[in-house]
Amino acid sequence: MMFAIAWRNLWRNRTRTIVSISAISFSYGLFLVTLGIADSSYSKMEDAAAKSAGGSVLVHADGYWDSKLNDKVMSNGEELASKLREIPGSDGVSRRVLINGLLSTSSGNIATLVQGVDPVEDSRVQNAGQFLSKGTFLTGEEKDPLVIGTEAAKELNVELGDRVVLTTTDPSGEMTRALFHVTGFIHTGSKQMDKMAAYTSLSAAQKAANMPGQFTQIGLIAPREARHEVKAAALKALDSKDFEVMTWDEAMPEIVSLIQMDAAFGDIYGIVVFLVVMFAVLNTFLMIVMERIREFGLLSALGLQPHQVSLLLFYESLLLAIVSMILGFALGFSIHYYF
């Protein structure tokens, strides 16, 4: 009975009720959309970070990640990769030879990180080939191939087919030089990436750094939610203190901190939106109470107790909130579904 009276009271002033419902439902729907955008952004950031690191779970020689030196390599690389491929929950591995060095031409020099990759394995992780703007990306038919960023190409003043020299050190600390032919250019949109990144085949990288059968990194491809289980399985499979095994978030804690900080700001934004909507509802019902003083006086004269009048107002606010939340959820869900 009281609910029916409260419902009728809401629609005695249709304009005010519709405006209130619209404001609350739009705010709630917009808040849900904002949460969805933030969650999607965090997922993309995590996926990008895992790709940038080389896999969801990373295996290196002990101490490599902190030093990034060329002398930290894994011997018997193919045997290790075979073991890691058999780990339950893993969708494969990505073998890499990472070489810090100096690319040189007659026009200049540039510091670089040459990544020796298998193009098939790389397509499942970084997929650098998608950024190819000119030439080819490690088709297997090129001789001593090297794919570099467009910014690096400008500084070195090279075109397709030109020769560049990589100067680096091998695992024993001896300086080595290797000749490469530029077979392609990549353009990622990041000036730093397009200046630093360079890719070659696994065999060419191993030859250039005197690392026959050795790898710098083996990345395991795994779903986001299974990376810690895959890490534990990798540690068990290797059973050696000569390796370091870490998930991408352990390797790149700054990305995790950035996501957490952004999420904290999102929570603050949510609290602000909640307070704004709360005060909007409060203001609406304050006006309702002030306009209906005579009505409440009449209800009291007819025998309604003060708590019953308060309960009537509570039911009105509850019904208004329920209708607004349903419409707001429908709005937010529709926008989520559309995108």
Side-chain angles (χ1 to χ4, degrees):
M1 180 66 178
M2 193 74 78
F3 263 112
I5 296 174
W7 180 254
R8 285 199 299 268
N9 284 343
L10 279 180
W11 298 105
R12 284 167 56 190
N13 191 325
R14 289 179 178 271
T15 302
R16 180 177 59 205
T17 301
I18 290 174
V19 169
S20 299
I21 289 176
S22 300
I24 298 170
S25 59
F26 180 77
S27 299
Y28 180 54
L30 183 62
F31 180 58
L32 291 179
V33 172
T34 303
L35 289 178
I37 292 173
D39 188 59
S40 175
S41 299
Y42 301 151
S43 297
K44 290 179 179 178
M45 288 174 67
E46 290 179 0
D47 290 341
K51 290 178 180 179
S52 175
S56 301
V57 178
L58 310 174
V59 180
H60 312 101
D62 187 43
Y64 170 79
W65 194 255
D66 289 332
S67 65
K68 303 292 197 306
L69 297 177
N70 293 342
D71 62 338
K72 302 291 186 180
V73 298
M74 295 180 288
S75 302
N76 302 321
E78 292 298 345
E79 181 182 342
L80 288 173
S82 297
K83 284 184 178 181
L84 295 173
R85 285 191 184 96
E86 297 174 359
I87 290 178
S90 172
D91 296 330
V93 302
S94 175
R95 300 162 297 163
R96 292 178 183 275
V97 174
L98 307 177
I99 307 172
N100 288 291
L102 191 71
L103 286 180
S104 305
T105 65
S106 57
S107 300
N109 308 294
I110 187 171
T112 187
L113 173 65
V114 176
Q115 302 187 46
V117 300
D118 180 305
V120 176
E121 294 175 353
D122 179 76
S123 66
R124 302 182 63 190
V125 187
Q126 287 187 349
N127 195 17
Q130 67 179 312
F131 300 113
L132 187 70
S133 62
K134 192 176 181 182
T136 58
F137 187 86
L138 310 180
T139 62
E141 300 176 357
E142 312 101 333
K143 179 183 178 182
D144 300 322
L146 188 69
V147 181
I148 62 176
T150 50
E151 293 295 326
K154 290 178 183 178
E155 291 205 20
L156 295 174
N157 191 26
V158 293
E159 294 292 340
L160 291 178
D162 288 350
R163 295 179 296 180
V164 295
V165 176
L166 172 66
T167 303
T168 185
T169 57
D170 63 17
S172 65
E174 294 293 328
M175 184 175 292
T176 65
R177 289 185 175 86
L179 182 67
F180 289 93
H181 293 82
V182 178
T183 57
F185 300 124
I186 58 174
H187 181 71
T188 65
S190 167
K191 192 171 182 178
Q192 184 177 5
M193 284 289 294
D194 292 339
K195 185 176 180 180
M196 285 289 297
Y199 294 88
T200 187
S201 64
L202 275 173
S203 58
Q206 289 171 333
K207 179 182 176 182
N210 292 331
M211 294 172 51
Q214 299 174 323
F215 300 122
T216 310
Q217 172 181 284
I218 300 178
L220 282 80
I221 305 166
R224 187 185 313 148
E225 61 277 4
R227 62 183 183 273
H228 292 290
E229 289 78 4
V230 171
K231 174 191 173 182
L235 283 168
K236 185 177 180 180
L238 294 176
D239 191 26
S240 173
K241 295 181 180 179
D242 297 332
F243 305 100
E244 60 182 13
V245 182
M246 59 184 70
T247 57
W248 75 263
D249 49 322
E250 293 171 337
M252 308 177 76
E254 64 279 1
I255 300 296
V256 178
S257 298
L258 178 65
I259 292 175
Q260 291 175 342
M261 183 175 65
D262 194 81
F265 280 113
D267 293 339
I268 294 173
Y269 169 76
I271 293 173
V272 171
V273 171
F274 175 79
L275 290 175
V276 169
V277 174
M278 183 185 72
F279 280 110
V281 175
L282 183 63
N283 181 62
T284 299
F285 272 87
L286 182 61
M287 289 190 299
I288 290 175
V289 171
M290 298 304 294
E291 290 176 0
R292 296 166 64 188
I293 293 295
R294 293 178 181 274
E295 175 188 337
F296 296 146
L298 179 60
L299 291 174
S300 297
L302 292 175
L304 257 68
Q305 298 298 316
H307 75 274
Q308 292 177 306
V309 176
S310 299
L311 188 62
L312 179 64
L313 285 172
F314 172 75
Y315 285 153
E316 289 181 23
S317 63
L318 180 62
L319 288 170
L320 183 68
I322 290 174
V323 172
S324 300
M325 296 290 275
I326 292 173
L327 292 177
F329 179 81
L331 175 64
F333 181 80
S334 299
I335 296 175
H336 275 292
Y337 183 79
Y338 176 79
F339 285 104

